[in-house]
Amino acid sequence: MSDRSSIEWTEATWNPIRGCTKVSPGCKHCYAETFAERFRGVPGHPFEQGFNLRLVSTALELPRRWRRGRLVFVNSMSDLFHEAVPTEYIARVFDVMRECPQHQFQVLTKRAERLEALAPVLRPPSNVWLGVSVENAQYAWRIEHLRRTPAQVRFVSIEPLLGPIPKLCLDGIRWVIVGGESGHGARPMDAGWVRLIRDQCLRARVLFFFKQWGGVQKSKHGRVLDDRTWDDMPGVAVCSVSTSTKHGRTHLPVHT
């Protein structure tokens, strides 16, 4: 839990739950599991129990202490809609978000069915963005559940992108994030797959954010696609264009 984050599309992370279990191919090299398991058995560490799922009620009040409004990624180290998380606890998390209107909360899940099923009970407030993770065309059905869920902002995270998605239905979707897998054993991502999604977003007038090419050492590959970075976000919608000069590359802000 931190009021600063290295994740490119957020500003802070909040983890009232820790740990998760795998549900689809995108989970194979889970960064959160890799991190958590490094500390299994370390007395007193937040991840002393590794990546075992557990509720962290002591973390529930954290957003109330942040006076300055910020983008908050909820459960970067878990999945709020995991089947083992009681509905009552999920409701408590939503109550905190509702009572902290100074923040914009980003909730991302692979359990799209449960997200849709609980939405009438949770009544997502306007400062909560709801999203689903999709790694290839086989799991694009998660977007259908998201589309039927009321939210001020609906978004899709396609990271890691593991295959082409030629028909991405974006009706009702505001924002799409795409990124390659990173770290040990990272699976390759084809540039054509990224362009295919980007072009669909442009046609549908959906905001597009390209997070990274990924790879074992992701910093070597950066996040430039076709001579520019793609940084559009709800409420921001600002891109950087990278242009070649004799001194290297410069980045110019372009408002979209």
Side-chain angles (χ1 to χ4, degrees):
M1 296 167 285
S2 172
D3 66 350
R4 295 182 181 178
S5 175
S6 61
I7 299 172
E8 291 82 352
W9 46 265
T10 197
E11 295 177 320
T13 57
W14 174 42
N15 286 284
I17 303 167
R18 298 187 192 127
C20 198
T21 53
K22 294 178 170 63
V23 293
S24 61
C27 302
K28 182 177 181 180
H29 297 143
C30 176
Y31 74 90
E33 180 183 36
T34 299
F35 176 85
E37 288 298 330
R38 290 170 52 196
F39 302 100
R40 180 180 288 277
V42 178
H45 194 278
F47 290 97
E48 181 180 356
Q49 300 174 50
F51 207 50
N52 295 353
L53 189 139
R54 58 209 179 278
L55 310 183
V56 189
S57 59
T58 55
L60 281 172
E61 296 300 310
L62 184 60
R64 301 185 196 275
R65 303 174 194 161
W66 296 337
R67 294 184 180 275
R68 179 183 62 82
R70 64 203 73 191
L71 286 170
V72 182
F73 179 21
V74 181
N75 285 322
S76 61
M77 301 295 291
S78 185
D79 188 327
L80 182 60
F81 290 93
H82 191 285
E83 54 275 12
V85 179
T87 300
E88 295 77 10
Y89 191 81
I90 298 174
R92 289 178 66 188
V93 173
F94 269 76
D95 285 343
V96 172
M97 295 191 288
R98 183 176 293 104
E99 293 164 13
C100 292
Q102 71 271 31
H103 305 311
Q104 297 291 316
F105 294 92
Q106 301 159 308
V107 178
L108 185 62
T109 182
K110 286 186 173 70
R111 277 80 173 177
E113 307 102 318
R114 195 175 187 207
L115 168 65
E116 181 188 0
L118 293 183
V121 175
L122 300 173
R123 298 177 292 106
S126 61
N127 65 324
V128 175
W129 305 0
L130 296 178
V132 296
S133 293
V134 173
E135 57 263 53
N136 56 33
Q138 183 180 352
Y139 291 92
W141 55 265
R142 290 172 179 154
I143 302 173
E144 296 303 318
H145 291 284
L146 176 64
R147 186 178 293 108
R148 294 192 292 264
T149 302
Q152 185 74 20
V153 173
R154 300 184 190 90
F155 69 102
V156 178
S157 174
I158 308 178
E159 184 188 8
L161 175 57
L162 301 178
I165 309 180
K167 294 182 179 180
L168 189 62
C169 186
L170 296 171
D171 294 343
I173 304 303
R174 180 84 176 277
W175 184 36
V176 171
I177 304 163
V178 174
E181 191 167 55
S182 61
H184 180 71
R187 290 162 285 185
M189 178 178 68
D190 189 283
W193 303 344
V194 181
R195 293 187 180 102
L196 186 60
I197 294 172
R198 181 213 42 205
D199 293 349
Q200 292 180 77
C201 288
L202 291 177
R203 287 194 297 270
R205 304 180 77 84
V206 169
L207 299 171
F208 177 76
F209 190 104
F210 182 54
K211 182 173 178 285
Q212 63 182 27
W213 287 106
V216 176
Q217 293 181 295
K218 68 176 186 179
S219 60
K220 287 187 174 182
H221 305 289
R223 49 190 302 268
V224 173
L225 169 65
D226 294 337
D227 294 322
R228 66 180 287 183
T229 59
W230 301 77
D231 298 319
D232 286 357
M233 293 180 63
V236 180
V238 175
C239 296
S240 294
V241 174
S242 179
T243 57
S244 297
T245 72
K246 64 180 180 180
H247 301 293
R249 291 189 179 274
T250 60
H251 297 275
L252 306 175
V254 175
H255 297 266
T256 60

